[in-house]
């Protein structure tokens, strides 16, 4: 058995850096007992082992590939390195969970998909916000049209680092925001304009402002890994209400504001007294209490519970391809 309930099955994690450490912690919290780890930099796998003594360190990637008991492999490695190692895992018939944005080229993504189909392996991409209970709440709120008609959405995702040297800030951070849009609306917007600045290194941009439009909704995504303050907000402006998801506000991460602005309809006024001034409505705000589980744990559970037929992973090849298509065009 290799389902989520089989906590004795052998699994593997490749990449023991920042995010790999968080994946390892989550796998342990989910009670997985037999986790092999491998990192090209032995110091990193050693450091992780020192934190969680039960992890099994492998010094060669081939040991993991050749272990037929290991059916599921997690990759938290740099996108520029992923194609070669993930391909190798798929060729050894492993189900693969690979962190966003996965790979750096569309051709690589297509190739991995073909191998996964041929070898009947799952290929899932780690777009963690698609398993985030706050995003799920926002999705329900939008579906019930609680904010009225949506006019505008803006994403701000900034921090000082991690600064990547193999991908741009949009590959690294806008990929999260694009995944949220794709999850909420099942479609990605058209890019109207992209403004980017390379400040630290030629050919890698550190600041990205994406201006987009999805049907009648204007959407801006603003990312930077050069900001002293960690900011992670999603703001939705509707004709009836406004919603703010502020991940850094642990007490009230979601607020729904009974606020809107509108111009009065001309027929509502005696034309003589009509002034074309916007009216601002300010009512009561609410901070809904939302029951949540850690998004990464939800995501890992989904990986194990998904299959190749009826329950394909939500963040599968097609999902990932749509995002990479936008990232490669900007
Ligand atoms: N879902 C999220 O919220 C989230 C957050 C952070 C990072 N990530 C993603 O996780 C991935 C890793 O990011 P990170 O911040 O952990 O980077 P990192 O640099 O901290 O860690 C990467 C690790 O991979 C190792 N590595 C490099 N090449 C390797 C190879 N060929 N074989 C084995 N190990 C190799 C490195 O030695 C390093 O330990 C990236 O794709 C990133 O986008 C996702």
């Amino acid at each position: 058995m290799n389902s989520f309930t089989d906590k004795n099955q052998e699994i593997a994690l490749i990449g023991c850096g920042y995010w790999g450490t968080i994946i390892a912690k989550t796998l342990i919290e989910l009670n997985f007992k037999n986790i092999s780890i491998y990192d090209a930099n032995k110091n990193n796998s050693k450091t992780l082992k020192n934190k969680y003594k039960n992890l099994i360190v492998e010094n060669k990637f081939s040991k993991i590939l050749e272990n037929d008991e290991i059916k599921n492999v997690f990759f938290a490695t740099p996108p520029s390195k992923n194609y070669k190692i993930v391909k190798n895992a798929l060729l050894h018939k492993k189900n693969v969970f690979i962190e966003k944005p996965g790979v750096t080229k569309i051709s690589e993504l297509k190739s991995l998909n073909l191998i996964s189909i041929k070898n009947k392996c799952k290929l899932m991409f780690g777009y963690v916000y698609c398993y985030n209970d706050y995003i799920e709440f926002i999705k329900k709120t939008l579906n019930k049209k609680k904010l009225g008609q949506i006019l505008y959405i803006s994403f701000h995702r900034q921090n000082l680092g991690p600064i990547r040297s193999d991908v741009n800030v949009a590959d690294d951070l806008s990929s999260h925001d694009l995944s949220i849009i794709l999850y909420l609306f099942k479609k990605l917007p058209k890019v109207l304009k992209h403004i980017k600045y390379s400040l630290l290194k030629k050919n890698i941009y550190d600041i990205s402002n994406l201006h987009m439009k999805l049907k009648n909704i204007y959407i801006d995504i603003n990312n930077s890994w050069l900001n002293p303050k960690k900011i992670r907000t999603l703001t939705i402006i509707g004709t009836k209400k406004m919603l703010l998801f502020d991940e850094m506000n642990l007490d009230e991460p979601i607020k729904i504001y009974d606020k809107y602005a509108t111009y009065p309809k001309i027929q509502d006024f005696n034309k003589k007294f009509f002034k074309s001034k916007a009216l601002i409505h300010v009512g009561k705000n609410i901070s809904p209490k939302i029951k949540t589980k850690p998004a990464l744990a939800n995501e890992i559970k989904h990986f194990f519970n998904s299959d190749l037929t009826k329950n394909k992973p939500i963040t599968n090849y097609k999902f990932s391809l749509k995002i990479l298509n936008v990232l490669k065009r900007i």
Side-chain angles (χ1 to χ4, degrees):
M1 228 186 11
N2 291 105
S3 71
F4 182 69
T5 48
D6 178 10
K7 300 299 165 82
N8 288 320
Q9 67 179 287
E10 292 190 40
I11 59 178
L13 167 67
I14 315 301
C16 307
Y18 164 63
W19 195 247
T21 300
I22 295 175
I23 292 182
K25 177 176 177 277
T26 308
L27 288 168
I28 290 164
E29 284 167 357
L30 288 169
N31 281 324
F32 284 96
K33 305 272 187 301
N34 296 306
I35 310 168
S36 295
I37 58 170
Y38 167 76
D39 197 295
N41 179 341
K42 284 184 187 147
N43 287 332
N44 290 2
S45 38
K46 238 193 213 166
T47 306
L48 188 56
K49 166 86 178 168
N50 284 339
K51 248 187 176 163
Y52 305 110
K53 306 282 181 230
N54 289 339
L55 294 173
I56 306 152
V57 179
E58 291 294 1
N59 286 327
K60 281 186 176 167
F61 183 42
S62 57
K63 286 265 185 186
I64 286 169
L65 296 177
E66 284 155 15
N67 181 345
D68 289 336
E69 292 303 313
I70 297 177
K71 305 276 188 233
N72 296 298
V73 182
F74 292 79
F75 285 87
T77 34
S80 59
K81 301 282 167 60
N82 278 340
Y83 178 62
K84 204 172 148 200
I85 49 181
V86 170
K87 180 179 169 187
N88 220 342
L90 290 170
L91 288 172
H92 282 80
K93 296 193 168 33
K94 312 290 185 195
N95 294 312
V96 164
F97 173 104
I98 166 176
E99 262 311 320
K100 61 87 202 161
V103 285
T104 53
K105 291 184 190 145
I106 305 264
S107 57
E108 293 175 346
L109 188 64
K110 289 187 172 169
S111 160
L112 292 183
N113 177 52
L114 289 179
I115 302 168
S116 74
I117 293 171
K118 191 167 171 235
N119 283 358
K120 297 190 173 60
C121 303
K122 274 189 273 186
L123 177 60
M124 172 167 153
F125 295 82
Y127 282 103
V128 73
Y129 284 91
C130 302
Y131 307 92
N132 180 305
D133 292 325
Y134 293 116
I135 295 297
E136 199 56 42
F137 173 86
I138 293 172
K139 189 172 188 179
K140 284 189 186 136
T141 304
L142 295 183
N143 288 346
K144 288 182 194 159
K145 308 235 179 300
K146 295 224 167 153
L147 309 181
Q149 188 193 326
I150 305 306
L151 302 172
Y152 176 67
I153 301 178
S154 73
F155 293 85
H156 292 268
R157 189 180 296 277
Q158 309 195 1
N159 197 5
L160 186 56
I163 294 166
R164 312 284 177 189
S165 54
D166 63 336
V167 292
N168 294 301
V169 73
D171 300 309
D172 192 36
L173 301 181
S174 311
S175 51
H176 277 309
D177 302 319
L178 290 168
S179 78
I180 295 173
I181 299 170
L182 184 54
Y183 184 67
L184 293 178
F185 298 102
K186 298 192 177 109
K187 252 186 129 173
L188 281 175
K190 269 195 187 135
V191 176
L192 303 175
K193 203 171 189 179
H194 184 214
I195 300 170
K196 54 198 178 183
Y197 310 122
S198 301
L199 305 176
L200 297 179
K201 198 177 177 186
K202 222 179 160 189
N203 300 329
I204 300 262
Y205 53 89
D206 313 287
I207 292 173
S208 163
N209 292 296
L210 255 174
H211 305 286
M212 298 179 292
K213 197 175 181 193
L214 180 66
K215 293 179 196 161
N216 291 324
I217 308 171
Y218 286 96
I219 303 178
D220 288 339
I221 298 180
N222 168 239
N223 299 129
S224 167
W225 53 39
L226 269 183
N227 192 324
K229 191 175 156 77
K230 186 168 183 176
I231 303 169
R232 283 186 182 179
T233 61
L234 154 56
T235 313
I236 307 179
I237 308 299
T239 49
K240 286 188 186 155
K241 289 195 170 122
M242 300 180 182
L243 182 148
L244 172 67
F245 173 33
D246 181 354
E247 272 187 88
M248 304 319 293
N249 183 344
L250 299 181
D251 295 329
E252 297 177 317
I254 291 202
K255 279 192 195 162
I256 299 177
Y257 297 86
D258 182 12
K259 290 183 176 180
Y260 60 82
T262 182
Y263 280 98
K265 288 195 182 89
I266 204 151
Q267 63 268 26
D268 295 343
F269 288 81
N270 176 333
K271 275 190 186 163
K272 208 173 162 188
F273 296 106
F274 178 75
K275 285 186 186 135
S276 72
K277 229 182 173 184
L279 299 175
I280 290 185
H281 168 87
V282 179
K284 249 187 164 179
N285 309 327
I286 56 162
S287 305
K289 291 273 163 282
I290 300 159
K291 268 196 180 166
T292 59
K293 289 197 174 132
L296 184 57
N298 291 342
E299 187 181 36
I300 290 172
K301 193 171 174 186
H302 181 80
F303 173 63
F304 281 102
N305 287 341
S306 60
D307 59 38
L308 295 169
T309 52
K310 280 189 182 155
N311 301 309
K312 287 185 186 156
I314 297 172
T315 48
N316 56 18
Y317 159 72
K318 280 189 185 161
F319 188 97
S320 192
L321 179 64
K322 285 179 188 164
I323 294 174
L324 208 59
N325 266 327
V326 173
L327 294 172
K328 290 294 115 191
R329 256 186 271 131
I330 58 177

